[in-house]
Structures are given as structure tokens and as C-alpha cells.
Amino acid sequence: MASRVLLLLLPVLFVVAVNADDAKSDDDRAPKSESCNNPFQLVKVKNWVDGEEANVYNGVTARFGSLLPDNPQNSVRTPAIFSNPLDCCSTSTSKLSGSVALCVRGGCDFIAKAAFAQSGGATAMLVINDAEDLFEMVCSNSSEANISIPVVMITKSAGEGLNKSLTSGRKVEILLYAPPRPLVDLSVAFLWLMSVGTIVCASLWSDLTTPEKADEHYNELYPKESSNAETAKDDFDNEIVNIDSKGAIIFVIAASTFLVLLFFFMSSWFVWVLIVLFCIGGIEGMHNCIVSITVRKCKNCSQKTVSLPLFGEISIFSLVVLIFCVAFAVFWAATRQESYSWIGQDILGICLMITVLQLARLPNIKVATVLLCCAFVYDIFWVFISPVIFHESVMIAVARGDKAGGEAIPMLLRFPRLFDPWGGYDMIGFGDILFPGLLVSFAHRFDKDNRRGSTNGYFVWLVIGYGIGLVFTYLGLYLMDGNGQPALLYLVPCTLGVTVILGCIRGELKTLWNYGTDSSVSTEPSDV
């Protein structure tokens, strides 16, 4: 029953197929002019209160004004003072000369604020937003930006922190600098390993848990237990879903529909629905992985059973593992905002994807071509083309949780950026692993059925192709300054394309295309 529930979650799991980080960047879309064409810089706002270092706040520069140095040694500590009036929309009665002017948002446009602060002798201007985000300050169409001081926006909470210190009569000094983000972070290497490892483990899972040759002697000694194991295997096989061409098209349409629903109706309660669904799938996947591996190593673990209402007879070991998995998922959900929560999310996600790739299978390359080509178009459309219709990338907005207070949906793997001064996470959607993973799993089954080795088979070549496709994805991610990439744009040619090319070279494309049907031709070597 739990496996059927997991299969019902498939469109939700595949909905995010994008490789991105969690830093928003709309630099290309924001309007520019000759006097208003600065790149947006993320800013560190260090401050000292009565000479003692206090909190460091984050900010973002405006499209106009001077740029900030990337090293704090090249910047200067300057006293901070609130402008009077607070909105900086007229000449300040406070003495701003040689100080950083603090202004609140609203009342007039940003260039007017900066002009009044500059005319008062301010060395820089901090605009305090009225919300907990960083608004990108641009020029109006009729404005000419003759601003030579840095202009930075900070969040509402940062402004309240500075105000608390200033109103208590203490001296506040501020230092502004904009450290650049590293071109490559080690986090992408770990994401690469997790993605490739998940596909390889899922493809080899049946070999790792129930290798036939290793069980032959056990089957002879314990025929009763062997019969029970075979019955369990038959039950699992009955739950396997072989995707057909029609189902592949419907599947991608369902994922698109759910993606649009997420885009328009994402809210805190909707996020909780996704969290619950993810936990259900993660519990089932984690339980399946732990039990199948443990029972393979310790066959007596599943012998002791207990009878429970509604569930009937159940293995005590399986029940203990289930309780552990539920506790693990609940702990992750309760602490998902903590800095370490990515570990639990990745463990649940990897176990979930391994189980999904056991339950959903592609019968041949014909269905794989339909599914992956549809996914290819799906990914490109919702990342690159959807901004034309929806004014922003639907896939990236959903992946980052832009409409849910910045809380990303859990259907993706995350890894913290280790050497990035701005922190954050690199992410890869489940769809980027599951879509190609279905094809790689098929390649392994094809090689196994036809007794293929690593060189004359398809599995190893597709794993290599998938790994190279991920490298191309990350290369595209960095060439586009961290803007989300439709990973399937690179992964589909590097997996499906490799399969088709190898099939043509070996003269086996027809066999691969019709494999598992009456018209398929076996490539298994003859015994005579």
C-alpha cells in the first residue's frame, strides 16, 4: 500500500528539474541607462557600536552610485546617522557630512534620496527596506543618475538593529564592502557525487540486495524462508509500474500542471502539504532501503513477527525500522530551518529516489525517447520560456520558494556552499536525477538480461554520459552568473543521445527500440 502511495507522488517528485543556487539575480532584467548601469553587488555591512564589533548585515547596491571594494581593507569605517527627515526626500537638518546617511524607503524615488544625501556631504547612503528582503534599486525612465556615493539597501530588521543602537546614544560606525562569490564552490562536487551515486545505487540495487548466485546455497538449506523471500519479491514485482508512451506524455503534463499550481498558489500551508508528502515518500524510501540491505546481510532479522491491528502480522525488525524512519522524518520537518537540515533532506530524498527507480521502469528506448524528449521540452519551457508569459521563470521561482517566504520546496537535493562568503546552497531537482535515472536503470537491466560487460554494454557509458552532462550543467550555471539552468537540456543529449549513437554503431537500435515487445530481437549470445 505504501508503495502505491509513493507512486501517486511521482508527478510531485519530478516537478522540479532545475539546477540552481538560492541567490536571486535579476541583473539582466532590471532597466538600465547610460547613467544607471551598475551591476548589482551583494554587500556586507559591518558595524561597530562604541568601538566594539557588532552584527554584520547583508545588503545590495543600487543600479546607480559608486561601486564598493571587494575587500574590507580597502574600505573605511564611517560614522552612521539618521537623516532628518527620515525618508531623505528633502535637505537634511542633520549634519551628514563625512557620515553614512540612514534613510527609510518611500516618499520619493531612490535617486532623489541619494541626491539629497550626497548634497549634504554623506559618504554613502543606506536605504532601510520596509520588509525582510532586498529590493533592487533602479532608475525611473526620466531620471538621470549623477550619484557618486555608494547606495545600499538593507532589510527592515537590519535597520531596526542600527536604530536601536543610535537611539540609545551610542556611536555607530559602518564599513561597506562587496566580496565576490567564488566562480566554483566545492559544493557542486558533492552534488555531482550524490546525483551520480544515487543513479548508480538505484540501478544496482537489486544486485546489491538479492544477488541470485549468492542465495543459491541459502535456498537449498532454508527452502521455507526462501519461499517467503520469493513471495515478497513477487509482491514487489506486482507493484512495479512499466511506463508506456501515453503514460509518459500524461506524466509530463501532470508535472507541468502541478508546477503551475505551485507557482500561483504557493503559500505556507501549501509548503506544509509538500513537506508532509515528502516525508511520507521519504519514510517509505528510507524504510525500504534499510530493510532490504539489512535483511540481505542478516536473514534472521525478519523472522520474528508480531500481530498488530489494521496491519496484521509484521516483522518486528521492520516495525522498529519504520518507527526510526518516522522519527527521522519528523525531526527533519521540525528542524528544517536549521543549518544542518540539508543532511536529513538529502538522506530522505536519496532513499526516496532509489525506491522510485525500483518501482517505475522504462520498458524500452521508444518509451524513453518519448519521456525524455517531453521532459527536455518541459524543462526548457518552464525555465527559459515561461518568463515571457509569467514575467519570471516559473521553475526557478518554485525551486527557490520565492512565493513562500523564501522556503524552498523539499523535492531537491541541497549542499551548502563551503567557500562562499554569502553562504547559501547549491541545489539539484529530483527531476534531474529521476528522468535520466529511468533510462540508466533500463540500460543496466538490458545489459544484465543480455549478459553484457562494461565495455560492450550501455550502463557504464550512460553513467559516464550523465556525469558529463552534469558538468556541462554546472558550466552553464556559472557562465550565466548563477541563474538556474534547465539541467535536462544537457542531461538528455548526454544520456539518450549516447544510447541512440551506441545503438546505431552496434546495429542494435531496433532491438533497443522494441525491447520487451513481440517484435524485439534478443541479443543474448547463443549457448550452441
Side-chain angles (χ1 to χ4, degrees):
M1 177 64 71
S3 297
R4 295 190 183 96
V5 172
L6 191 148
L7 289 173
L8 292 175
L9 301 180
L10 284 179
V12 183
L13 300 179
F14 282 84
V15 71
V16 176
V18 63
N19 193 291
D21 60 40
D22 59 0
K24 303 175 185 178
S25 177
D26 296 321
D27 193 71
D28 293 332
R29 292 175 52 208
K32 298 180 181 180
S33 65
E34 289 187 8
S35 60
C36 188
N37 59 2
N38 288 347
F40 294 117
Q41 292 179 295
L42 290 173
V43 179
K44 292 288 186 182
V45 183
K46 297 184 68 174
N47 74 97
W48 289 260
V49 178
D50 288 339
E52 294 185 4
E53 189 169 346
N55 295 329
V56 178
Y57 303 113
N58 293 337
V60 62
T61 59
R63 180 66 85 190
F64 51 89
S66 62
L67 297 177
L68 290 168
D70 58 9
N71 195 308
Q73 282 73 29
N74 297 328
S75 188
V76 179
R77 285 169 56 173
T78 308
I81 187 171
F82 272 100
S83 172
N84 186 16
L86 288 176
D87 59 10
C88 290
C89 289
S90 60
T91 301
S92 175
T93 58
S94 302
K95 186 179 179 181
L96 302 179
S97 180
S99 303
V100 175
L102 302 178
C103 309
V104 297
R105 182 180 176 182
C108 57
D109 64 38
F110 296 114
I111 291 181
K113 293 176 184 290
F116 282 114
Q118 181 174 280
S119 65
T123 59
M125 183 178 75
L126 294 185
V127 178
I128 302 171
N129 198 11
D130 53 8
E132 287 304 306
D133 57 5
L134 296 174
F135 185 83
E136 292 172 338
M137 297 177 286
V138 299
C139 307
S140 61
N141 295 331
S142 59
S143 299
E144 284 296 326
N146 297 315
I147 306 299
S148 59
I149 62 173
V151 179
V152 177
M153 173 165 284
I154 59 176
T155 63
K156 179 181 179 180
S157 59
E160 290 173 348
L162 295 173
N163 179 57
K164 183 177 180 181
S165 299
L166 286 169
T167 53
S168 62
R170 291 182 286 179
K171 180 182 179 181
V172 176
E173 296 174 296
I174 286 177
L175 184 145
L176 304 173
Y177 68 105
R181 307 190 71 178
L183 181 62
V184 178
D185 192 89
L186 190 60
S187 60
V188 300
F190 286 100
L191 273 180
W192 187 93
L193 288 173
M194 286 194 293
S195 302
V196 174
T198 298
I199 287 181
V200 172
C201 285
S203 301
L204 301 177
W205 194 256
S206 60
D207 298 341
L208 297 173
T209 55
T210 55
E212 295 179 1
K213 291 183 179 180
D215 279 350
E216 287 178 357
H217 182 62
Y218 176 80
N219 293 344
E220 293 175 359
L221 295 177
Y222 303 99
K224 182 178 179 180
E225 287 81 356
S226 174
S227 176
N228 292 336
E230 290 176 0
T231 301
K233 183 177 184 299
D234 290 339
D235 291 340
F236 183 81
D237 290 340
N238 290 333
E239 294 182 331
I240 290 175
V241 174
N242 285 299
I243 304 172
D244 57 18
S245 299
K246 182 179 178 181
I249 297 173
I250 295 175
F251 186 72
V252 174
I253 293 175
S256 296
T257 302
F258 196 81
L259 182 66
V260 173
L261 291 175
L262 286 174
F263 179 74
F264 282 110
F265 302 107
M266 180 74 82
S267 60
S268 58
W269 69 266
F270 209 150
V271 171
W272 267 108
V273 171
L274 295 177
I275 289 172
V276 171
L277 292 177
F278 173 73
C279 287
I280 292 173
I283 290 169
E284 169 64 13
M286 193 174 181
H287 178 269
N288 172 69
C289 291
I290 294 176
V291 170
S292 57
I293 284 291
T294 306
V295 170
R296 173 62 195 137
K297 299 296 182 181
C298 177
K299 295 180 173 62
N300 294 326
C301 291
S302 62
Q303 300 304 311
K304 296 181 180 180
T305 61
V306 63
S307 183
L308 296 176
L310 301 178
F311 294 96
E313 192 174 13
I314 184 173
S315 165
I316 294 178
F317 173 74
S318 178
L319 179 61
V320 171
V321 172
L322 178 61
I323 294 173
F324 168 77
C325 294
V326 170
F328 187 91
V330 170
F331 177 79
W332 169 80
T335 61
R336 69 189 189 283
Q337 302 289 357
E338 301 295 332
S339 60
Y340 54 80
S341 65
W342 63 273
I343 300 174
Q345 180 172 326
D346 289 351
I347 291 174
L348 290 170
I350 289 172
C351 292
L352 173 57
M353 286 187 285
I354 289 175
T355 303
V356 166
L357 291 174
Q358 301 301 301
L359 296 175
R361 294 182 178 179
L362 297 176
N364 48 50
I365 296 302
K366 177 183 177 181
V367 177
T369 301
V370 174
L371 177 64
L372 291 180
C373 286
C374 288
F376 180 82
V377 175
Y378 162 87
D379 210 9
I380 293 174
F381 177 84
W382 290 115
V383 174
F384 285 155
I385 303 177
S386 61
V388 177
I389 303 172
F390 300 95
H391 305 296
E392 63 179 316
S393 175
V394 173
M395 182 82 75
I396 295 174
V398 170
R400 289 175 174 160
D402 291 353
K403 296 181 179 293
E407 182 170 5
I409 67 174
M411 281 68 179
L412 41 80
L413 299 182
R414 299 189 299 156
F415 201 93
R417 290 192 287 269
L418 303 176
F419 301 104
D420 191 332
W422 300 102
Y425 298 85
D426 279 307
M427 305 178 292
I428 183 169
F430 285 178
D432 298 330
I433 300 173
L434 292 173
F435 277 119
L438 290 169
L439 177 59
V440 176
S441 296
F442 164 77
H444 173 68
R445 293 195 306 273
F446 180 86
D447 290 350
K448 186 177 179 181
D449 292 345
N450 294 281
R451 303 177 186 176
R452 296 296 184 88
S454 58
T455 56
N456 65 340
Y458 292 86
F459 172 68
V460 173
W461 294 107
L462 287 189
V463 171
I464 294 173
Y466 178 79
I468 293 174
L470 274 183
V471 172
F472 287 150
T473 303
Y474 289 119
L475 181 61
L477 185 68
Y478 292 118
L479 289 177
M480 296 189 66
D481 298 323
N483 289 315
Q485 289 291 292
L488 296 178
L489 171 65
Y490 310 94
L491 296 175
V492 170
C494 289
T495 51
L496 182 61
V498 169
T499 307
V500 172
I501 291 173
L502 283 177
C504 290
I505 294 174
R506 297 170 177 176
E508 298 172 352
L509 187 58
K510 183 177 180 181
T511 300
L512 292 167
W513 188 264
N514 298 307
Y515 193 71
T517 64
D518 293 337
S519 59
S520 64
V521 180
S522 175
T523 61
E524 183 176 341
S526 174
D527 294 332
V528 295

